[in-house]
Every structure is written in structure tokens, then in C-alpha cells.
């Protein structure tokens, strides 16, 4: 019997956050402006703890440093992935993330490539992905003129949509979204535009305009991948949403018993819908687990949507 670690999320209050993390998942959130659930994280800004078993109370980063064998002995001085659930009651800033090279040089951090799966979207909810500038000069001019209506590429989204967002992609989650996010373990965000909104003290949030200009890909690649690989399970189906150098994300839609092989250094598992059992342990919507490398397979049973992120 290998290690299956149930993870206790960390919650972040945000100027744009709401209370869906409580309403939908039953989490004990700090306030009605809670924007982020760091569901599985070993990052210093939100290091999750293990909620049961022999490592109860230890953090993910501690386990990574002290028991690397549980993670397939992969290299790296920090836990490489981060899984979040994001509740956008209001619009997030228009932002961009650096690649590994820029982040290492300027922030002493990993870069941030990420992806989003839309858990819920209110009618008419939009998303910003990419921009319409063809040159850096055109891009800078639009920023200087505050001409974001023409610059930004925005479109409506629906529940079940999936988006892969490489570093250098200008983007924004907009109000009415509930998002599952898998990403590199990085907390580096460069805000280029924040709608001139002010906090309770009348101050606008800090922008990072020069960094945003430095790292944004121009022209933008507006062709998002819509071709996903589907395969059958014994009782259900599996959709592979992305397989990149940074992570692989699969969604298992189960209706009955399925045994899933663990052929990765570790698996980050989130129960997005439904309930059932995982290796005989009762699980429900909103639970998150790390399946360690010493657990060669996992038997799930129940009617569940399970998102799995791996290296």
C-alpha cells in the first residue's frame, strides 16, 4: 500500500473574490471576498498541509524536501506544480506571466505556464486571451493610450471549456467564472491593466507595465487548442486536455469502478463533481489528493468527475 495524501487547501482573499468556494464546495472560507483556493501547493506563499496519515500536519514542501522518493525522486528544489480553484466575482486584472528564463533572472522563481478548466460560468461570462497588436510598438502604444477595448482579445466562455495558457500570453479571468487551474508552482503575475479600480483606501493596485511589455508574446497566438483526446474507461471516459513540457492534465468522468495506473512520479487528484471512493476511502466534490509514486494504481468507484495533473 503506497501513500495517498489528502491535502488541506489554503485560501486567499482577493479584491475580485466571492463566496462560491463555500457555496459550491463547502469550504470554510475566510470571507465573502475569497478568490483562490490553493488546493495542492508546496509554494511558500501557500504551502498546503497533509490532513491525515503518517505525515498529518506536515507541509507539501516539507515532504518534497525530506521524502523525495514519494515523488519519484524527480529533480528540483521546489514542488513543481500548483492546483487552484478560482472564484471570480469581479474581473481579474489583465496580466501576463514570465517564462522560466525571465522569472529566474528577475524574480528568482519558476516561470508560469498555466491552464484553465471552466467549472461554472454565468451567462455571458467572458475571458481575455491574447491581443490584437502585430508589433511591440503597436502593443506599447495601445497601453500608453489606455486603449484596451481594441487591444484585448475577449470572448464568451462556457462550463467545460479548457484553455492552455503558455507564459507570455496576455489574459484575464472575468467576473462570473469558477475555474480549475493547474500551473507551474509560481506566484509571479505582471499586471498591465486593472480597470483603474481602487481598494478601500482609495489606492489602485500596483501595475507591472514594463515587465508586461518585456514578456508578452507579440503577435499573440490566438489559436487555442480545441482538439482533445478522448478514450474509454471500464466505466466512463478520459479526456486528455493538455500534454506539455510543464504538465499533463486529464479529466476522468466516472460512473462506476475504474482502476487507474500511476505511471508518473506523482498524481495531483481533484474531485470536481460527485462522490464515491478512492481505494476504499470515501471522497466527495472538493477533495484533493497527492497520489505518491509508491501507489502503483488507484481504484475509484462512484459517479465522479476527477481532474488529474501530472508532470
Amino acid at each position: 500500500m503506497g501513500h495517498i495524501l489528502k491535502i488541506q487547501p489554503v485560501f486567499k482573499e482577493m479584491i475580485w473574490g466571492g463566496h462560491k468556494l463555500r457555496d459550491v464546495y463547502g469550504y470554510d472560507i475566510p470571507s465573502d471576498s475569497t478568490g483562490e483556493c490553493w488546493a495542492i501547493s508546496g509554494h511558500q506563499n501557500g504551502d498546503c498541509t497533509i490532513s491525515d496519515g503518517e505525515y498529518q500536519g506536515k507541509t507539501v514542501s516539507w515532504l518534497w524536501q525530506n521524502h523525495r522518493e514519494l515523488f519519484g525522486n524527480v529533480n528540483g528544489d521546489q514542488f513543481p506544480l500548483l492546483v487552484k480553484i478560482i472564484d471570480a466575482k469581479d474581473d481579474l486584472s489583465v496580466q501576463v506571466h514570465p517564462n522560466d528564463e525571465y522569472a529566474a533572472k528577475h524574480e528568482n522563481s519558476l516561470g508560469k505556464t498555466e491552464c484553465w478548466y471552466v467549472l461554472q460560468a454565468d451567462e455571458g461570462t467572458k475571458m481575455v486571451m491574447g491581443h490584437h497588436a502585430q508589433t511591440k510598438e503597436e502593443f506599447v502604444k495601445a497601453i500608453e493610450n489606455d486603449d484596451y477595448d481594441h487591444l484585448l482579445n475577449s470572448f464568451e466562455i462556457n462550463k467545460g471549456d479548457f484553455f492552455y495558457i503558455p507564459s507570455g500570453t496576455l489574459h484575464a479571468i472575468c467576473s462570473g467564472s469558477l475555474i480549475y487551474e493547474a500551473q507551474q508552482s509560481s506566484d509571479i503575475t505582471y499586471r498591465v491593466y486593472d480597470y483603474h479600480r481602487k481598494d478601500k483606501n482609495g489606492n489602485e493596485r500596483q501595475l507591472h507595465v514594463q515587465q508586461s511589455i518585456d514578456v508578452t508574446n507579440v503577435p499573440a497566438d490566438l489559436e487555442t487548442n480545441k482538439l482533445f483526446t478522448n478514450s474509454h474507461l471500464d466505466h466512463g471516459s478520459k479526456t486528455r486536455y493538455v500534454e506539455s513540457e510543464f504538465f499533463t492534465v486529464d479529466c476522468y468522468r466516472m460512473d462506476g469502478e475504474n482502476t487507474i495506473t500511476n505511471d508518473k512520479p506523482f498524481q495531483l487528484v481533484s474531485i470536481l463533481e460527485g462522490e464515491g471512493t478512492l481505494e476504499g476511502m470515501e471522497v466527495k466534490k472538493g477533495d484533493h489528493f497527492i497520489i505518491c509514486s509508491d501507489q502503483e494504481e488507484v481504484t475509484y468507484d462512484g459517479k465522479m468527475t476527477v481532474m488529474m495533473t501530472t508532470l
Side-chain angles (χ1 to χ4, degrees):
M1 182 74 176
H3 289 82
I4 298 176
L5 310 172
K6 188 173 183 182
I7 304 301
Q8 183 66 41
V10 173
F11 298 97
K12 304 269 187 175
E13 294 173 281
M14 297 291 186
I15 192 171
W16 42 261
H19 46 78
K20 283 184 182 174
L21 291 169
R22 179 185 62 227
D23 300 349
V24 175
Y25 291 102
Y27 295 135
D28 183 14
I29 58 175
S31 76
D32 282 352
S33 57
T34 301
E36 296 186 348
C37 162
W38 288 33
I40 308 174
S41 165
H43 193 281
Q44 61 186 8
N45 293 351
D47 201 356
C48 295
T49 55
I50 297 153
S51 62
D52 56 12
E54 64 180 296
Y55 297 115
Q56 183 175 0
K58 298 291 190 185
T59 63
V60 171
S61 68
W62 180 91
L63 202 66
W64 174 258
Q65 296 297 342
N66 291 279
H67 288 282
R68 192 65 62 88
E69 73 279 1
L70 296 177
F71 303 96
N73 287 312
V74 296
N75 293 326
D77 39 347
Q78 58 182 301
F79 188 70
L81 299 176
L82 203 168
V83 170
K84 297 179 183 175
I85 299 177
I86 294 174
D87 171 21
K89 185 178 180 183
D90 200 356
D91 294 338
L92 275 69
S93 63
V94 178
Q95 56 190 243
V96 64
H97 306 303
N99 62 19
D100 284 344
E101 183 183 11
Y102 190 96
K105 181 178 178 182
H106 296 277
E107 309 285 355
N108 190 30
S109 168
L110 292 174
K112 189 172 171 184
T113 284
E114 61 189 4
C115 62
W116 298 338
Y117 175 79
V118 181
L119 298 164
Q120 286 185 6
D122 296 345
E123 189 172 348
T125 294
K126 291 193 171 185
M127 175 180 289
V128 171
M129 188 83 64
H131 58 83
H132 299 298
Q134 295 303 304
T135 64
K136 277 281 187 182
E137 292 75 18
E138 202 179 320
F139 184 67
V140 171
K141 185 178 179 183
I143 292 172
E144 289 174 346
N145 293 338
D146 226 23
D147 187 13
Y148 291 98
D149 286 344
H150 291 106
L151 177 65
L152 301 177
N153 182 57
S154 67
F155 49 87
E156 287 191 11
I157 59 170
N158 297 288
K159 179 179 178 178
D161 287 348
F162 183 91
F163 303 93
Y164 181 62
I165 306 144
S167 59
T169 304
L170 202 67
H171 62 274
I173 295 173
C174 300
S175 63
S177 311
L178 189 66
I179 303 280
Y180 167 95
E181 176 177 291
Q183 58 162 90
Q184 290 178 273
S185 184
S186 171
D187 200 23
I188 306 300
T189 293
Y190 295 144
R191 294 187 205 105
V192 66
Y193 180 58
D194 197 38
Y195 318 99
H196 302 293
R197 61 183 161 193
K198 296 178 172 63
D199 63 18
K200 60 189 176 188
N201 299 316
N203 301 313
E204 293 189 13
R205 289 201 293 175
Q206 180 186 3
L207 298 180
H208 315 89
V209 176
Q210 187 55 54
Q211 294 97 320
S212 299
I213 291 168
D214 287 347
V215 306
T216 299
N217 297 327
V218 181
D221 180 6
L222 300 180
E223 295 302 314
T224 57
N225 176 35
K226 297 294 186 189
L227 298 174
F228 309 122
T229 307
N230 291 297
S231 53
H232 290 290
L233 306 174
D234 288 342
H235 298 96
S237 64
K238 167 187 166 183
T239 303
R240 171 148 296 179
Y241 281 118
V242 65
E243 184 174 359
S244 76
E245 63 182 293
F246 303 108
F247 44 70
T248 296
V249 178
D250 294 314
C251 184
Y252 294 85
R253 295 174 176 88
M254 305 187 188
D255 191 2
E257 185 174 302
N258 295 283
T259 298
I260 309 299
T261 301
N262 180 18
D263 56 1
K264 299 284 189 174
F266 56 90
Q267 297 172 331
L268 307 185
V269 169
S270 297
I271 313 297
L272 297 183
E273 293 282 353
E275 59 187 14
T277 61
L278 184 160
E279 282 298 299
M281 169 176 45
E282 289 192 4
V283 297
K284 66 181 190 310
K285 174 180 179 173
D287 287 347
H288 306 275
F289 302 89
I290 299 176
I291 312 296
C292 295
S293 60
D294 58 357
Q295 182 75 30
E296 295 179 357
E297 60 182 29
V298 178
T299 299
Y300 298 82
D301 194 4
K303 190 172 178 62
M304 297 184 284
T305 301
V306 178
M307 196 69 88
M308 185 182 297
T309 297
T310 58
L311 288 176

